[in-house]
Amino acid sequence: MTAPNFLTDFDATQYTALSFLLAIITITLPKGSLLRKGVLTLQILCLIQAYVAHPLTEAPNSAVTYTTGLLLGNLTARYADRLYLHIPEGEFHRVNEAGTKEHATNLPWTQKLWWATELLGVTRGIGWDWRVTGIPKARAQTRSRFLTVRSVKYIFMYTGLYLTGRIAEAIRMGWPSVEPAPLRETVIAITSKSIRRIVGTPAGALLSLAPTSYLKSKSRWARLTRRYFLVLASFSVSGCIHASGSWAVTRAYGLPLSDGGEMTYFLLQGIALMLEDSACWALGVDDQAAGPPTARRRWLGYLVTATWYIWSRVNLKVVPLAERGHGIMDERGQLFAALELVERNVKAVPGNFITRGFGGYVYD
């Protein structure tokens, strides 16, 4: 029995796992050492191979393959932030309960190995000096109450996913053919804070290449162009992360290569923010004024945001992702293609004990 060829016999999922393991080992090794540079080179090679090797195809549910590609894109941005663009030991520090920063260079290698694993695994920086803003602080509670609250949360979450999948299936199977019509989502997803830092870091690195005079300029033109460059660049990185999922699916199932409409969708979110700022400026609304907004302005903001998000989420993301990213076509209209994608995504969520309890499984 011949040993597998490292460069040809591994699939994209295996290379993704290898890149993560090698990233941890790289950070654990002495800073500036030749061995560290060599392992880093090997880590980058595995990451590149993860994009060009054959994706996961064993699962008949394309949403599972999409998730593996999405994970690859997320990890790539995470490596850029915590390994390629920064020296981890100097940039990132864990913070103890007393508020004291922990310096990784002083840790023994066994503890540094865990430090590196946590650095690459944490998404929102809780317990670190780079904690993402806007996360409410957890209230002190007993262990039993914590476990109870978590259990109830997961029961409701998985029940909601199960019901969403069943409703989507019932609509697809039970409704007659109709003419294509504008789509409506019933649930608005909340954008995760887990990728806020990793999409902003590459954008900031690109902006730092500009002349110092421009970066330090306080003119309105310079401030606005810097601000909106960061907005568009950050949304572009987010689009690339999500496009990795469609990249994996289209290659795995022999579909025409496509980003599933991800880049268009995310770039338009940035453009929408710019248009909102322009509207506020044209109407004389001070969007940066201190103090809470008036009730009228708050509810108007909710209405505009919800309207734009629902329309763009369905027409610019879900439908293109279903048709171009997953190859789902339904002669009854785009609504049914989108519903099938929802059903696939629900089934692809791991650990759904509610679905299993009703006789369903991830890959059925």
Side-chain angles (χ1 to χ4, degrees), residues 263-273 308 311 316:
M263 289 301 297
T264 300
Y265 170 74
F266 282 98
L267 277 174
L268 283 176
Q269 301 308 305
I271 294 173
L273 293 179
W308 163 253
W311 180 86
L316 301 180

Side-chain angles (χ1 to χ4, degrees), residues 142-187:
T142 62
R143 181 175 298 178
S144 60
R145 177 171 175 77
F146 173 80
L147 292 174
T148 301
V149 171
R150 285 288 178 177
S151 299
V152 171
K153 176 182 177 181
Y154 282 116
I155 289 173
F156 274 100
M157 180 182 71
Y158 283 127
T159 301
L161 287 172
Y162 172 76
L163 293 175
T164 300
R166 296 298 293 175
I167 292 171
E169 181 181 14
I171 293 175
R172 284 199 312 111
M173 298 303 179
W175 282 17
S177 177
V178 296
E179 292 298 322
L183 309 178
R184 295 293 182 267
E185 281 189 322
T186 57
V187 179

Side-chain angles (χ1 to χ4, degrees), residues 62 123 322 344:
S62 63
T123 57
R344 290 189 188 185

